[in-house]
Amino acid sequence: TKPATDLMKTLVCPAHRRLTWDKIQVHPWFKKVNWVDLKAHKPPFVPKLSTEVDAAYFDDIEEEQDIEDIDENVKQSGFSTSADEQNRIWGYTFNRNNAKEFKEYAKKAQENLDQALKDKRAEVKARVDTNDDDATE
């Protein structure tokens, strides 16, 4: 529906354009919601749980990949405004109108990760060389 599409576009967008709480409450998608007495609404679906941690309604997923199984040569991808040599946490964001900026940030993040890997390899090599020198003395 148009209200559903509009709601999604105004929630999944850059923060400066995102709906505020007040605007969410008056959005046409929520026109039947009584925000004052929210608990009075009957939910459209109530799961029947066997325990407090019952996950029967979730899809089965494969076990997480062991960190040792990861190939070092696999390139990371992602759009991050915070990835640099000090911060390797990927902060994903999305902006459908700015593909050039996406590519620039992805390139910068990849360069920073590549440099960090190069630095780490040099550090390990220096330790090995130092240990070899100590062993020959």
Side-chain angles (χ1 to χ4, degrees):
T1 66
K2 285 185 181 183
T5 302
D6 180 67
L7 179 65
M8 292 308 298
K9 285 182 177 180
T10 54
L11 290 176
V12 183
C13 64
H16 69 277
R17 290 196 334 232
R18 202 165 298 143
L19 287 180
T20 63
W21 175 245
D22 293 334
K23 289 184 179 181
I24 290 171
Q25 290 177 307
V26 297
H27 190 277
W29 175 256
F30 295 112
K31 67 183 172 191
K32 294 182 181 178
V33 174
N34 177 1
W35 293 99
V36 176
D37 193 12
L38 202 52
K39 288 186 177 184
H41 286 279
K42 181 181 178 199
F45 172 73
V46 179
K48 292 181 171 57
L49 305 175
S50 59
T51 67
E52 287 185 15
V53 293
D54 183 357
Y57 290 94
F58 290 92
D59 293 334
D60 290 332
I61 58 172
E62 296 178 26
E63 288 188 33
E64 290 188 32
Q65 185 178 21
D66 186 14
I67 193 77
E68 299 299 322
D69 294 339
I70 294 175
D71 181 1
E72 282 184 25
N73 298 319
V74 174
K75 293 201 180 269
Q76 296 286 333
S77 63
F79 178 61
S80 175
T81 56
S82 59
D84 59 25
E85 58 278 348
Q86 299 300 317
N87 180 6
R88 291 177 191 78
I89 297 173
W90 290 79
Y92 290 97
T93 188
F94 175 75
N95 181 340
R96 77 177 120 264
N97 298 322
N98 202 338
K100 182 180 178 186
E101 186 177 331
F102 171 88
K103 289 177 183 177
E104 289 170 4
Y105 275 113
K107 182 179 176 184
K108 177 186 172 205
Q110 186 62 53
E111 288 169 354
N112 287 331
L113 288 171
D114 291 344
Q115 184 62 47
L117 181 59
K118 183 179 174 183
D119 294 346
K120 192 66 165 173
R121 285 182 176 155
E123 179 186 324
V124 169
K125 184 179 182 326
R127 284 187 198 157
V128 169
D129 291 345
T130 301
N131 288 340
D132 287 347
D133 291 343
D134 291 345
T136 58
E137 291 178 1

